[in-house]
Amino acid sequence: MRSSRLGALGIVAIVWVPSCASTDDGSRSTYLHPGADMATVQTVAVLPLENYTTDRFAPERVREVLVVELLASGAFQVVDSGEVTRVLMQRGIQRVNGLGPEALRQLGQDLQAQAVFMGSVMDYREKRTGTMNAPEVALSLRLLDAETGTVVWSVSDARTGLSWWARLFGMGEESLTRAIQQLVRDVLPTMF
């Protein structure tokens, strides 16, 4: 009787442990500037993200998740997205990826931020896999020192929301929002 209970526990462990495993498949690329001192960065601004997807709202959705996760982490104070948009409009800046060091310095001063997040949403879609929908998300983020324009941190990563558990048992699909939230939660710690 005891050995059958141990055998059952072993089967549960074999099934449960892979379902809890990280979905990191080695696709992550990370850079941290050798002289980076995150302790000096108190306030950050999250600039609008570039869109390389077919979903025109993907960058704003991802940006909002990023802002919330940054606030939840407690690592930085985050300038309100509305204030960022107001300053960008006031300065006539429509695309942030082409900002030079001087424009970035001025933007940092206007927003009272020591650093700014920039990046792009490279994938944001649901893909049909058998009878299930699997969210696929990919993003590239970087943190730039507002004073110098130097890239302090950069990361690129992707996630599919179809877990091992969902593939095996056909349940436990993940939404696009949950997939991007988990991806952001996975990449932010690489900054420290």
Side-chain angles (χ1 to χ4, degrees), residues 18-19 23 159-168 171-174:
S19 71
T23 60
R159 175 182 175 85
T160 179
L162 197 56
S163 68
W164 177 87
W165 186 263
R167 283 186 213 130
L168 186 63
M171 58 183 157
E173 292 178 68
E174 188 174 62

Side-chain angles (χ1 to χ4, degrees), residues 53-122:
T53 74
T54 56
D55 184 334
R56 69 182 196 153
F57 299 110
E60 280 306 307
R61 291 178 180 139
V62 173
R63 183 181 180 203
E64 287 306 310
V65 169
L66 177 58
V67 167
V68 170
E69 291 302 320
L70 283 167
L71 288 168
S73 76
F76 309 109
Q77 293 178 12
V78 182
V79 178
D80 181 69
S81 297
E83 178 64 10
V84 173
T85 301
R86 185 190 69 76
V87 170
L88 290 173
M89 287 177 60
Q90 187 178 38
R91 293 211 156 268
I93 300 171
Q94 294 181 6
R95 291 199 48 160
V96 297
N97 274 355
L99 291 177
E102 185 53 44
L104 192 60
R105 182 179 303 115
Q106 188 60 54
L107 190 60
Q109 289 173 1
D110 291 349
L111 296 170
Q112 298 178 3
Q114 290 86 37
V116 297
F117 280 92
M118 299 172 80
S120 56
V121 182
M122 298 176 293

